[in-house]
């Protein structure tokens, strides 16, 4: 067992060393290396068909193992591209020089999402070692541009429609709220990005010449950003903030997780919890929309200051969606609100429609109970201790569901403390191992969930 654990850590570290930052021209070859590394790992586990598919300027990886003609097929979705880094902000190690300390691996992609894919491979290898082969037909699609919003994924899945057909999708790019209190994730929020540019003077103007008389786009931008929410933290834009509250069942599920704001703030290093106080912390995270400013520019941000009132100021917005909110309808609502709020002020509002993602909620399906039972085994808790949760982030879950014609269930091994997209990203190796055991157990239960056939008699945990 110690040798297996050591090999698993070495293989994950080897993968993390590949700087697979999608969208960075200087990392283009690294995307190819990352795809090749994963393809080799899939072959080593036993996949007889493995292909690397061009995806825009990068590469997706496809694996297929179909030992049961006519039997149910499960498709696993995740991604191998990673977020860009500001290397100067990393303290534990350089971003692509993984280091392991006290059971934690540091490095970009160690958790999001190479660690999650690695847990899949480890779990599948354990399942195959015990049972001699996969209990269901398997397909893997590992995205090469998820961190860019997967702009070419729809075309890729359409081009390979027959290859990605499935009866169920296991989507692995989500978080666990608490490793000691496992919960099945049943939803992800949607997202659409926008850029608001406010115009002031026709050109940058010396502030002393026109101070007090010239329109200042930074002032106007700050005011409109502040007006997106009321004093209680509620979104005021009609059609965006006024969505139904979670029903009693969801509220009870969320409350059962026992998430405390002070603990959450500590885990996520956010200092304090803010937002609509009418809804609990889990509701705000998983069942309420959000509008965040993720970037803002105006005036002299580099070099020596010129003491000017700038001609423009801009803000990048990330709008998270829930329920049945449609990204394009939300864009129209914000557009109408901005037109009224900024009347008499010149501005541009642009939306990233190509990478917009709809929210997705898993329909009631036997696979949810199978996954909960598998998590009880993997995380060594009583079955009735496995809760239900959502995911505050998004992803192309709705797109994958449409392309495959299958319901999506979520299983992730990330934690709120893993610092996704931030300096010193890390992953707890014991959580990856628990995730792998969960997946090994899930594969043995999948036939029953998909066909009603009985599960294999002995649990994987008993055969390790």
């Amino acid at each position: 067992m110690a040798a297996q654990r050591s090999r698993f850590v070495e293989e994950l570290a080897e993968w993390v060393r590949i700087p697979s930052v999608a969208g960075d021209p200087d990392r283009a070859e690294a995307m190819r290396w990352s795809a090749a590394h994963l393809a080799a790992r899939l072959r080593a586990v036993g996949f007889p068909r493995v292909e690397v598919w061009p995806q825009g300027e990068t590469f997706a990886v496809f694996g297929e193992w179909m030992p049961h003609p006519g039997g149910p097929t499960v498709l696993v979705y995740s991604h191998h591209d990673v977020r860009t880094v500001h290397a100067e902000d990393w303290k534990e190690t350089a971003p692509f020089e993984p280091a392991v300390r006290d059971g934690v691996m540091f490095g970009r992609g160690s958790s999001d999402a190479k660690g999650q894919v690695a847990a899949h491979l480890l779990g599948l290898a354990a399942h195959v070692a015990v049972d001699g082969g996969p209990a269901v037909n398997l397909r893997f699609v590992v995205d090469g541009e998820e961190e860019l919003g997967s702009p070419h994924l729809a075309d890729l899945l359409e081009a390979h429609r027959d290859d990605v057909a499935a009866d169920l999708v296991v989507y692995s790019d989500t978080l666990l709220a608490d490793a000691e209190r496992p919960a099945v994730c049943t939803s992800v929020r949607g997202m659409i990005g926008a850029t608001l540019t406010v115009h002031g003077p026709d050109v940058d103007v010396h502030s002393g010449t026109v101070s007090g008389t010239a329109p200042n786009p930074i002032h106007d931008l700050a005011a409109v950003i502040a007006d997106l929410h009321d004093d209680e933290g509620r979104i005021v834009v009609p059609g965006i903030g006024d969505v139904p509250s979670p029903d009693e069942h969801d509220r009870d599920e969320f409350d059962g997780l026992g998430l405390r704001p002070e603990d959450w703030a500590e885990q996520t290093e956010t200092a304090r919890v803010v937002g609509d106080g009418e809804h609990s912390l889990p509701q705000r995270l998983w069942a309420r929309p959000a509008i965040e400013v993720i970037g803002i520019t105006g005036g002299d941000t580099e070099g020596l200051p010129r003491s000017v009132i700038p001609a423009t100021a801009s803000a990048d917005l990330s709008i998270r969606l829930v329920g049945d909110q449609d990204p394009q309808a939300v864009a129209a609502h914000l557009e109408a609100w901005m037109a009224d709020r900024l009347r008499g002020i010149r501005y541009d509002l642009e939306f990233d429609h190509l990478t917009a993602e709809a929210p997705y909620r898993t329909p009631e399906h036997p696979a949810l109970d199978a996954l909960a039972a598998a998590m009880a085994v993997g995380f060594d808790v009583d079955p009735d201790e496995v809760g239900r949760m959502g995911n505050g982030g998004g992803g192309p879950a709705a797109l994958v569901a449409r392309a495959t014609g299958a319901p999506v269930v979520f299983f992730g091994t990330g934690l709120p403390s893993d610092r996704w997209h931030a300096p010193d990203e890390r992953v707890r190796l014991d959580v990856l191992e628990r995730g792998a055991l969960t997946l090994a157990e899930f594969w043995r239960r999948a036939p029953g969930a998909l066909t009603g056939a009985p599960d294999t008699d002995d649990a994987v945990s008993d055969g390790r």
Side-chain angles (χ1 to χ4, degrees):
M1 188 64 183
Q4 289 179 325
R5 180 176 290 111
S6 177
R7 184 167 63 252
F8 170 72
V9 173
E10 289 173 4
E11 289 173 349
L12 178 56
E14 180 182 355
W15 200 12
V16 171
R17 288 189 186 97
I18 302 173
S20 50
V21 180
D24 183 345
D26 295 333
R27 310 285 197 188
E29 193 60 28
M31 291 303 309
R32 189 187 301 272
W33 297 339
S34 178
H37 175 94
L38 176 57
R41 294 297 309 127
L42 288 168
R43 293 187 185 99
V45 171
F47 280 81
R49 179 188 174 194
V50 179
E51 297 174 358
V52 174
W53 292 345
Q55 183 183 14
E57 299 299 319
T58 180
F59 304 91
V61 181
F62 174 78
E64 183 180 75
W65 196 343
M66 308 285 279
H68 306 286
T73 298
V74 179
L75 182 140
V76 173
Y77 170 88
S78 192
H79 68 93
H80 70 101
D81 63 315
V82 301
R83 275 284 172 172
T84 190
V85 298
H86 295 166
E88 66 277 9
D89 296 330
W90 287 62
K91 307 302 180 187
E92 295 288 347
T93 188
F96 300 106
E97 295 177 11
V100 177
R101 301 188 186 93
D102 299 323
V104 175
M105 179 180 289
F106 297 88
R108 176 61 91 224
S110 58
S111 181
D112 180 24
K114 291 176 178 177
Q116 305 207 32
V117 179
H120 265 286
L121 298 180
L122 180 62
L124 181 58
H127 166 49
V128 170
V130 171
D131 293 322
V136 292
N137 296 320
L138 288 175
R139 287 169 166 152
F140 274 54
V141 172
V142 185
D143 198 341
E145 54 175 19
E146 190 276 341
E147 298 293 8
L148 300 178
S150 301
H152 298 95
L153 182 61
D155 290 341
L156 183 77
L157 297 179
E158 176 61 25
H160 296 277
R161 180 185 298 182
D162 292 341
D163 292 323
V164 301
D167 300 289
L168 181 74
V169 175
V170 176
Y171 183 110
S172 287
D173 187 23
T174 55
L175 296 171
L176 293 164
D178 185 339
E180 310 312 318
R181 302 186 69 174
V184 176
C185 177
T186 59
S187 66
V188 296
R189 289 198 283 194
M191 192 195 80
I192 186 168
T195 299
L196 172 63
T197 301
V198 178
H199 300 270
D202 292 335
V203 296
D204 295 350
V205 181
H206 175 226
S207 63
T209 301
V210 297
S211 286
T213 65
N216 190 318
I218 297 178
H219 294 180
D220 291 332
L221 180 65
V224 73
I225 288 172
D227 284 349
L228 287 167
H229 302 83
D230 65 18
D231 291 342
E232 303 301 320
R234 295 178 291 240
I235 297 172
V236 303
V237 182
I240 300 182
D242 48 354
V243 299
S245 296
D247 62 24
E248 183 177 359
H249 178 267
D250 283 349
R251 292 197 302 271
D252 289 345
E253 292 279 7
F254 294 165
D255 291 344
L257 297 175
L259 292 184
R260 301 193 307 166
E262 57 271 27
D263 295 337
W264 182 261
E266 181 179 358
Q267 290 177 50
T268 57
E269 301 174 275
T270 49
R272 58 195 175 93
V273 171
V274 300
D276 179 1
E278 292 183 356
H279 296 90
S280 68
L281 169 65
Q283 291 176 42
R284 278 176 261 175
L285 287 169
W286 307 325
R288 301 296 298 169
I291 301 178
E292 298 288 355
V293 180
I294 58 173
I296 190 164
T297 56
D300 294 323
T301 58
E302 297 180 358
L304 294 173
R306 297 173 297 152
S307 188
V308 298
I309 294 176
T312 63
S314 297
D316 293 323
L317 307 178
S318 173
I319 308 165
R320 302 286 177 172
L321 317 177
V322 297
D324 60 359
Q325 287 185 306
D326 175 71
Q328 311 312 326
V330 164
H333 289 310
L334 185 60
E335 207 162 30
W337 184 84
M338 287 287 183
D340 181 64
R341 174 60 183 76
L342 291 172
R343 190 175 295 135
I345 297 172
R346 293 183 300 143
Y347 72 94
D348 299 307
L349 180 62
E350 298 179 347
F351 293 92
D352 189 351
H353 294 286
L354 181 62
T355 62
E357 299 161 347
Y360 183 86
R361 181 181 178 113
T362 304
E364 284 302 319
H365 190 283
L368 289 173
D369 291 334
L371 182 54
M375 290 182 77
V377 173
F379 287 80
D380 193 23
V381 299
D382 290 335
D384 59 4
E385 293 180 30
V386 178
R388 297 283 181 97
M389 61 175 286
N391 192 73
L399 167 61
V400 175
R402 289 195 305 271
T404 60
V408 175
V409 297
F410 301 96
F411 179 71
T413 54
L415 294 174
S417 56
D418 281 355
R419 289 193 173 186
W420 286 16
H421 298 193
D424 294 325
E425 181 181 343
R426 77 280 307 270
V427 68
R428 275 176 48 179
L429 296 172
D430 68 314
V431 175
L432 291 185
E433 291 180 8
R434 293 188 218 178
L437 181 54
T438 295
L439 291 163
E441 185 70 19
F442 176 73
W443 295 131
R444 310 182 86 231
R445 296 174 182 270
L450 293 169
T451 68
D455 299 330
T456 307
D457 291 335
D458 300 320
V460 169
S461 54
D462 295 334
R464 291 175 68 189

